[in-house]
Amino acid sequence: MASSVKHFCTICEYDGISNTAVTWCTECEVFFCGDCEKTHSKSGLSKHHKTMSADNYKKLPTFMQEIRSQCRDHNTMIEFYCSFHACPCCVQCVTDKHKKCQDMKPLSDTLQQVKSSASVQLFEKDLKNVKENLDTAIMYLKTRISTINIQKTKAIEEISYMRKSINDYLNKLEQNILNDLESKHSKLRANMATILQQMEQGSSQIDQMQSQFTNLIQHATELQMYIGLKEIEKTAKYIGDLESAEHFTDKNLEVNISSALQSFLQDVKSFGDININTTSSTLRLKTGRKDQAQHLVPEVPGIEQIKPSLLTRLTSPKDMKLNIWACHILPDSRIIILDNNKKQLVLFSNDGIFIRNVVTFTKNPCDVCFVRNYTVAVTLRSANQIALVDVEKNKIIQTIKLSHECYGVASDGKTLVITSGGSQCTTVNLNDMSHTILEGMEGVGPIALFQGNIYGINYHENKVSCYRITGEHLWTYQNPDVAKPRGLSLDKNGFVYIASNGNNSIVVLSPDGRTCKRILSGSDGIKDPWQIDINRETGIMIVSSRQSDDDSVKDYETAFVYKI
């Protein structure tokens, strides 16, 4: 967006005068009024400088007006352009931040004929496409917001319906038990009331006899007395019968609440789960040209340009004799090592200094990969298990059991791929933990994932192969340069780096699996390389290697850290 700010002469402002600027010098990067511009154009140092009117300067977008030829950090002229970091640099920047950047070009070469380049000629079309893409994306996101609002309303309705259904069902169960209580209480009370009435009648008769007992003796006939005594005997016997029939046993009402209902209060911890399920976007944007800024966008290097530079090597306590079975660089550049000697996961800093032991396993660990957050996956081969380990909490948070041995492992954050080193390979969906068996990956051990493809090593046949995530074979590379391969990893451009144990070297394979180059060997200190890993964001590579001290013939294992 063009600026509407009124600019004043930079020179006059030094003297406290606010004269309106009429020109802008693109090389001095200052404004001039009419008088100062005349002096500037006559000076021997600046008479050939290019200028533009202040009005034209205002037409430039604000972000372009803020671009300067001097470094903001060091106040010195920008002289270079780093293609790797896509930024201009002064001499001090090169010294401070870009020592290891190999693709550093003079800025003058980068800017040569920029305005006449094909990219600039098509700039207007590109802007139109970008604007259309932005409008399309904005409309898409507005539609998505409307959609999730509807989804929220439906979710609330579903939750409310479930709550009402639960309430109705509980009300029904409650009424059933209340009805049962009323029925049993009424029956029990009726039985007891009947017996009570009969006993009260007998008691009344006895009372009457007791009050008239003297009269009975004096005036009743022998027959009357005999029959009366028999009636008293019947009453006594009736009471005895009631007692023997357990009519006097205490019968109490009690309620036993369903154990399932009681466990509901303890076991049900939530009403449900709210999940955000990700599906492929339906948004379709216009594809832009890949060479829009051909002078400024770093090109993918050729295989011949890959030349690792050594940064450091691991520094561990003297009593720690590592047997490195796997190594991995975490997103924050810290390093994870699988030590098979003590069956433990060990953490090092990004400069190779030992930090701590993370966790110790009961079974021998075989391979490790980063999953997401602070979690890594470790294969426990003979246990047919994968242990998910929280590196920050120093504990195993979950164990996944498979039907086969667990050797190589790789993850893209959504899926785990686990090989057995034999004929079996399984993918695990990390969202629902469902398992899928892959066919056609015979003999694959160590693996890596890149852009939806699986890259694997067959150690016994000296092969490196590429497969789709479904197991479909794409290509295989087999060459004497790759001898007894043990580990592999890929950089951000899809080049495959292989620890070739059989010839003490690290080789790199082109993304199409056709061209191979040795980039590290015994002359670089590489001996029996076993594992390799690359942080694709930073271009940092770690390689495990066997080493010997000068004063000892006994080898030990360490790892070298490189910049690629």
Side-chain angles (χ1 to χ4, degrees):
M1 182 175 180
S3 172
S4 60
V5 177
K6 186 175 182 180
H7 297 287
F8 297 97
C9 176
T10 306
I11 306 301
C12 292
E13 282 187 329
Y14 292 151
D15 298 326
I17 303 172
S18 299
N19 286 332
T20 301
V22 295
T23 59
W24 162 263
C25 178
T26 60
E27 298 183 45
C28 297
E29 296 181 342
V30 296
F31 288 102
F32 295 110
C33 63
D35 293 337
C36 292
E37 196 278 332
K38 291 179 182 178
T39 303
H40 174 263
S41 63
K42 293 178 181 179
S43 171
L45 296 175
S46 58
K47 64 182 180 180
H48 296 299
H49 286 190
K50 296 180 181 179
T51 62
M52 69 170 68
S53 69
D55 290 338
N56 287 340
Y57 179 84
K58 292 179 183 180
K59 296 177 182 178
L60 292 174
T62 303
F63 80 92
M64 284 191 171
Q65 293 180 12
E66 295 174 351
I67 298 174
R68 295 288 184 266
S69 60
Q70 283 196 336
C71 174
R72 295 183 183 275
D73 295 331
H74 304 107
N75 292 322
T76 55
M77 291 298 294
I78 295 173
E79 300 180 35
F80 300 96
Y81 189 86
C82 177
S83 297
F84 181 81
H85 291 99
C87 67
C89 316
C90 68
V91 174
Q92 190 62 40
C93 288
V94 174
T95 302
D96 292 347
K97 302 177 182 179
H98 301 272
K99 285 183 178 180
K100 296 182 175 63
C101 296
Q102 300 177 359
D103 197 9
M104 188 72 66
K105 298 179 180 178
L107 188 63
S108 57
D109 293 347
T110 304
L111 300 181
Q112 189 175 9
Q113 297 180 340
V114 167
K115 286 192 175 183
S116 62
S117 67
S119 294
V120 175
Q121 296 298 319
L122 297 173
F123 189 60
E124 184 176 4
K125 179 181 178 182
D126 294 335
L127 285 177
K128 181 181 178 182
N129 289 341
V130 171
K131 181 62 170 64
E132 289 180 2
N133 283 340
L134 284 173
D135 291 342
T136 302
I138 289 170
M139 182 61 66
Y140 174 79
L141 289 176
K142 287 182 177 179
T143 302
R144 290 300 307 155
I145 290 173
S146 176
T147 299
I148 65 171
N149 288 340
I150 294 173
Q151 290 171 347
K152 177 186 176 182
T153 301
K154 290 183 177 179
I156 291 173
E157 292 174 353
E158 186 174 348
I159 293 169
S160 299
Y161 175 77
M162 179 55 66
R163 175 60 184 269
K164 183 178 182 303
S165 299
I166 293 172
N167 288 345
D168 291 344
Y169 187 66
L170 288 177
N171 288 339
K172 179 182 177 182
L173 295 180
E174 180 186 18
Q175 191 58 52
N176 288 343
I177 196 171
L178 289 175
N179 291 341
D180 190 32
L181 174 62
E182 181 63 30
S183 173
K184 286 184 171 58
H185 174 265
S186 297
K187 182 178 180 181
L188 185 59
R189 184 179 61 180
N191 290 339
M192 295 175 70
T194 301
I195 295 171
L196 177 62
Q197 183 181 11
Q198 293 172 356
M199 294 186 69
E200 286 177 342
Q201 289 176 355
S203 177
S204 177
Q205 292 176 356
I206 297 299
D207 286 342
Q208 186 179 3
M209 288 181 182
Q210 282 181 328
S211 64
Q212 298 176 356
F213 191 75
T214 302
N215 292 333
L216 291 176
I217 297 296
Q218 292 178 357
H219 305 294
T221 65
E222 295 294 335
L223 176 61
Q224 289 174 330
M225 181 61 71
Y226 179 81
I227 298 300
L229 290 173
K230 291 297 182 182
E231 288 298 324
I232 293 173
E233 288 178 359
K234 288 180 181 180
T235 301
K237 184 177 182 300
Y238 170 70
I239 295 173
D241 292 342
L242 288 177
E243 184 178 14
S244 63
E246 298 183 348
H247 285 290
F248 295 140
T249 303
D250 289 344
K251 296 181 179 179
N252 301 306
L253 286 172
E254 63 178 22
V255 60
N256 292 316
I257 301 299
S258 166
S259 59
L261 197 58
Q262 291 177 334
S263 65
F264 176 85
L265 300 176
Q266 299 175 352
D267 298 340
V268 179
K269 303 300 183 184
S270 69
F271 207 89
D273 296 313
I274 304 299
N275 297 316
I276 299 176
N277 296 320
T278 302
T279 57
S280 299
S281 172
T282 58
L283 177 64
R284 295 294 179 266
L285 301 176
K286 290 187 176 180
T287 303
R289 292 176 293 110
K290 294 182 179 180
D291 59 346
Q292 289 182 19
Q294 56 189 3
H295 290 285
L296 304 181
V297 178
E299 298 178 355
V300 175
I303 197 169
E304 295 300 325
Q305 296 175 265
I306 299 176
K307 299 177 181 179
S309 57
L310 180 65
L311 298 179
T312 186
R313 78 173 187 178
L314 296 190
T315 302
S316 56
K318 292 183 178 180
D319 59 345
M320 179 180 286
K321 301 299 182 182
L322 294 174
N323 180 11
I324 301 175
W325 270 62
C327 54
H328 191 84
I329 304 176
L330 298 174
D332 61 5
S333 296
R334 291 183 298 174
I335 299 166
I336 281 288
I337 296 292
L338 267 186
D339 174 28
N340 199 48
N341 276 339
K342 296 185 178 180
K343 304 177 184 178
Q344 60 188 3
L345 194 65
V346 186
L347 182 65
F348 288 79
S349 66
N350 57 359
D351 53 0
I353 306 299
F354 171 76
I355 298 177
R356 66 176 184 272
N357 295 329
V358 177
V359 68
T360 301
F361 304 96
T362 57
K363 301 291 185 180
N364 289 84
C366 190
D367 198 7
V368 63
C369 74
F370 176 75
V371 180
R372 55 193 178 194
N373 300 328
Y374 296 104
T375 304
V376 297
V378 178
T379 55
L380 306 175
R381 186 171 186 175
S382 60
N384 295 4
Q385 291 179 346
I386 305 100
L388 298 183
V389 180
D390 189 314
V391 176
E392 293 302 300
K393 296 180 180 179
N394 299 329
K395 67 177 184 179
I396 298 173
I397 58 175
Q398 187 176 356
T399 301
I400 304 171
K401 184 75 173 178
L402 293 189
S403 60
H404 58 73
E405 288 188 339
C406 300
Y407 182 12
V409 63
S411 176
D412 58 5
K414 299 178 182 179
T415 303
L416 276 177
V417 181
I418 307 99
T419 64
S420 66
S423 60
Q424 295 173 299
C425 182
T426 299
T427 64
V428 177
N429 186 315
L430 291 171
N431 291 326
D432 58 14
M433 291 299 167
S434 59
H435 297 186
T436 302
I437 303 296
L438 299 183
E439 303 292 342
M441 296 179 61
E442 185 77 26
V444 174
I447 54 173
L449 289 178
F450 182 73
Q451 294 184 351
N453 289 336
I454 302 172
Y455 296 77
I457 282 175
N458 187 318
Y459 168 81
H460 299 288
E461 298 183 10
N462 300 321
K463 292 180 179 179
V464 180
S465 299
C466 178
Y467 306 85
R468 297 193 191 279
I469 194 67
T470 55
E472 177 187 350
H473 178 263
L474 295 177
W475 55 258
T476 290
Y477 182 85
Q478 191 173 23
N479 187 281
D481 286 336
V482 178
K484 296 183 179 179
R486 285 293 186 179
L488 81 165
S489 187
L490 286 88
D491 67 14
K492 67 177 182 179
N493 297 314
F495 286 97
V496 187
Y497 295 70
I498 304 153
S500 183
N501 183 267
N503 51 21
N504 297 322
S505 64
I506 303 298
V507 298
V508 61
L509 185 61
S510 61
D512 58 5
R514 296 181 179 179
T515 308
C516 185
K517 173 194 173 185
R518 183 177 300 185
I519 57 174
L520 293 170
S521 63
S523 61
D524 300 297
I526 300 298
K527 183 177 181 181
D528 293 337
W530 193 274
Q531 282 294 333
I532 184 172
D533 187 55
I534 296 172
N535 184 317
R536 293 170 191 161
E537 294 296 325
T538 61
I540 301 299
M541 177 176 72
I542 183 170
V543 177
S544 67
S545 176
R546 192 172 296 277
Q547 296 292 298
S548 297
D549 288 326
D550 294 337
D551 58 351
S552 172
V553 296
K554 187 175 182 180
D555 288 354
Y556 65 96
E557 289 188 20
T558 185
F560 294 118
V561 181
Y562 298 87
K563 175 70 176 180
I564 58 173

mmCIF file of all heavy atoms in Angstrom, residues 259-275:
data_model
loop_
_atom_site.group_PDB
_atom_site.id
_atom_site.type_symbol
_atom_site.label_atom_id
_atom_site.label_comp_id
_atom_site.label_asym_id
_atom_site.label_seq_id
_atom_site.Cartn_x
_atom_site.Cartn_y
_atom_site.Cartn_z
ATOM 1 N N SER A 259 -24.832 -51.938 41.170
ATOM 2 C CA SER A 259 -23.384 -51.701 41.140
ATOM 3 C C SER A 259 -22.961 -50.992 39.852
ATOM 4 O O SER A 259 -22.020 -50.197 39.840
ATOM 5 C CB SER A 259 -22.624 -53.029 41.266
ATOM 6 O OG SER A 259 -22.977 -53.905 40.202
ATOM 7 N N ALA A 260 -23.669 -51.279 38.761
ATOM 8 C CA ALA A 260 -23.353 -50.601 37.495
ATOM 9 C C ALA A 260 -23.616 -49.113 37.606
ATOM 10 O O ALA A 260 -22.867 -48.281 37.075
ATOM 11 C CB ALA A 260 -24.186 -51.208 36.362
ATOM 12 N N LEU A 261 -24.696 -48.749 38.331
ATOM 13 C CA LEU A 261 -25.025 -47.343 38.509
ATOM 14 C C LEU A 261 -24.012 -46.671 39.429
ATOM 15 O O LEU A 261 -23.613 -45.528 39.210
ATOM 16 C CB LEU A 261 -26.445 -47.208 39.091
ATOM 17 C CG LEU A 261 -27.113 -45.830 38.970
ATOM 18 C CD1 LEU A 261 -27.194 -45.419 37.510
ATOM 19 C CD2 LEU A 261 -28.491 -45.853 39.591
ATOM 20 N N GLN A 262 -23.573 -47.400 40.453
ATOM 21 C CA GLN A 262 -22.573 -46.840 41.356
ATOM 22 C C GLN A 262 -21.231 -46.661 40.646
ATOM 23 O O GLN A 262 -20.544 -45.649 40.832
ATOM 24 C CB GLN A 262 -22.405 -47.757 42.569
ATOM 25 C CG GLN A 262 -23.627 -47.766 43.494
ATOM 26 C CD GLN A 262 -23.460 -48.750 44.640
ATOM 27 O OE1 GLN A 262 -22.715 -49.724 44.516
ATOM 28 N NE2 GLN A 262 -24.155 -48.500 45.736
ATOM 29 N N SER A 263 -20.867 -47.631 39.816
ATOM 30 C CA SER A 263 -19.592 -47.520 39.093
ATOM 31 C C SER A 263 -19.643 -46.397 38.061
ATOM 32 O O SER A 263 -18.614 -45.827 37.703
ATOM 33 C CB SER A 263 -19.249 -48.837 38.404
ATOM 34 O OG SER A 263 -20.194 -49.140 37.384
ATOM 35 N N PHE A 264 -20.844 -46.085 37.593
ATOM 36 C CA PHE A 264 -21.004 -44.978 36.645
ATOM 37 C C PHE A 264 -20.447 -43.685 37.228
ATOM 38 O O PHE A 264 -19.776 -42.898 36.559
ATOM 39 C CB PHE A 264 -22.486 -44.825 36.292
ATOM 40 C CG PHE A 264 -22.782 -43.647 35.393
ATOM 41 C CD1 PHE A 264 -22.668 -43.764 34.025
ATOM 42 C CD2 PHE A 264 -23.172 -42.424 35.914
ATOM 43 C CE1 PHE A 264 -22.937 -42.692 33.195
ATOM 44 C CE2 PHE A 264 -23.447 -41.342 35.098
ATOM 45 C CZ PHE A 264 -23.318 -41.485 33.729
ATOM 46 N N LEU A 265 -20.725 -43.464 38.524
ATOM 47 C CA LEU A 265 -20.265 -42.245 39.178
ATOM 48 C C LEU A 265 -18.758 -42.230 39.337
ATOM 49 O O LEU A 265 -18.137 -41.168 39.409
ATOM 50 C CB LEU A 265 -20.932 -42.103 40.553
ATOM 51 C CG LEU A 265 -22.466 -42.018 40.546
ATOM 52 C CD1 LEU A 265 -22.996 -41.992 41.970
ATOM 53 C CD2 LEU A 265 -22.926 -40.783 39.787
ATOM 54 N N GLN A 266 -18.141 -43.412 39.366
ATOM 55 C CA GLN A 266 -16.695 -43.480 39.563
ATOM 56 C C GLN A 266 -15.938 -43.623 38.249
ATOM 57 O O GLN A 266 -14.882 -43.016 38.059
ATOM 58 C CB GLN A 266 -16.360 -44.670 40.469
ATOM 59 C CG GLN A 266 -16.985 -44.565 41.867
ATOM 60 C CD GLN A 266 -16.733 -45.820 42.687
ATOM 61 O OE1 GLN A 266 -16.220 -46.814 42.174
ATOM 62 N NE2 GLN A 266 -17.100 -45.781 43.954
ATOM 63 N N ASP A 267 -16.491 -44.419 37.336
ATOM 64 C CA ASP A 267 -15.751 -44.767 36.123
ATOM 65 C C ASP A 267 -15.904 -43.747 35.004
ATOM 66 O O ASP A 267 -14.989 -43.553 34.205
ATOM 67 C CB ASP A 267 -16.193 -46.149 35.608
ATOM 68 C CG ASP A 267 -15.896 -47.247 36.625
ATOM 69 O OD1 ASP A 267 -15.051 -47.001 37.501
ATOM 70 O OD2 ASP A 267 -16.507 -48.322 36.545
ATOM 71 N N VAL A 268 -17.060 -43.118 34.906
ATOM 72 C CA VAL A 268 -17.290 -42.169 33.814
ATOM 73 C C VAL A 268 -16.683 -40.827 34.211
ATOM 74 O O VAL A 268 -17.167 -40.149 35.114
ATOM 75 C CB VAL A 268 -18.800 -42.016 33.511
ATOM 76 C CG1 VAL A 268 -18.994 -40.996 32.390
ATOM 77 C CG2 VAL A 268 -19.393 -43.357 33.111
ATOM 78 N N LYS A 269 -15.584 -40.468 33.559
ATOM 79 C CA LYS A 269 -14.852 -39.259 33.903
ATOM 80 C C LYS A 269 -15.210 -38.066 33.024
ATOM 81 O O LYS A 269 -14.863 -36.935 33.336
ATOM 82 C CB LYS A 269 -13.343 -39.516 33.789
ATOM 83 C CG LYS A 269 -12.829 -40.679 34.645
ATOM 84 C CD LYS A 269 -13.097 -40.452 36.120
ATOM 85 C CE LYS A 269 -12.511 -41.576 36.958
ATOM 86 N NZ LYS A 269 -12.842 -41.444 38.397
ATOM 87 N N SER A 270 -15.853 -38.317 31.921
ATOM 88 C CA SER A 270 -16.223 -37.205 31.043
ATOM 89 C C SER A 270 -17.478 -37.560 30.268
ATOM 90 O O SER A 270 -17.836 -38.732 30.138
ATOM 91 C CB SER A 270 -15.085 -36.887 30.058
ATOM 92 O OG SER A 270 -14.933 -37.923 29.118
ATOM 93 N N PHE A 271 -18.132 -36.553 29.776
ATOM 94 C CA PHE A 271 -19.345 -36.747 28.992
ATOM 95 C C PHE A 271 -19.016 -37.283 27.604
ATOM 96 O O PHE A 271 -19.837 -37.900 26.932
ATOM 97 C CB PHE A 271 -20.088 -35.410 28.869
ATOM 98 C CG PHE A 271 -21.572 -35.561 28.666
ATOM 99 C CD1 PHE A 271 -22.437 -35.626 29.752
ATOM 100 C CD2 PHE A 271 -22.106 -35.656 27.402
ATOM 101 C CE1 PHE A 271 -23.807 -35.774 29.560
ATOM 102 C CE2 PHE A 271 -23.464 -35.807 27.203
ATOM 103 C CZ PHE A 271 -24.328 -35.868 28.297
ATOM 104 N N GLY A 272 -17.782 -37.042 27.174
ATOM 105 C CA GLY A 272 -17.336 -37.485 25.846
ATOM 106 C C GLY A 272 -16.060 -36.752 25.487
ATOM 107 O O GLY A 272 -15.391 -36.170 26.350
ATOM 108 N N ASP A 273 -15.684 -36.765 24.244
ATOM 109 C CA ASP A 273 -14.482 -36.087 23.768
ATOM 110 C C ASP A 273 -14.842 -35.178 22.607
ATOM 111 O O ASP A 273 -15.701 -35.505 21.780
ATOM 112 C CB ASP A 273 -13.429 -37.095 23.293
ATOM 113 C CG ASP A 273 -12.929 -37.972 24.427
ATOM 114 O OD1 ASP A 273 -12.614 -37.410 25.492
ATOM 115 O OD2 ASP A 273 -12.863 -39.200 24.257
ATOM 116 N N ILE A 274 -14.161 -34.040 22.556
ATOM 117 C CA ILE A 274 -14.281 -33.143 21.413
ATOM 118 C C ILE A 274 -12.991 -33.276 20.613
ATOM 119 O O ILE A 274 -11.907 -32.960 21.101
ATOM 120 C CB ILE A 274 -14.482 -31.681 21.853
ATOM 121 C CG1 ILE A 274 -15.711 -31.553 22.771
ATOM 122 C CG2 ILE A 274 -14.636 -30.785 20.618
ATOM 123 C CD1 ILE A 274 -17.012 -31.971 22.127
ATOM 124 N N ASN A 275 -13.065 -33.789 19.402
ATOM 125 C CA ASN A 275 -11.891 -34.016 18.561
ATOM 126 C C ASN A 275 -11.906 -33.087 17.362
ATOM 127 O O ASN A 275 -12.967 -32.717 16.854
ATOM 128 C CB ASN A 275 -11.844 -35.468 18.075
ATOM 129 C CG ASN A 275 -11.707 -36.445 19.219
ATOM 130 O OD1 ASN A 275 -10.919 -36.230 20.128
ATOM 131 N ND2 ASN A 275 -12.495 -37.517 19.189
#
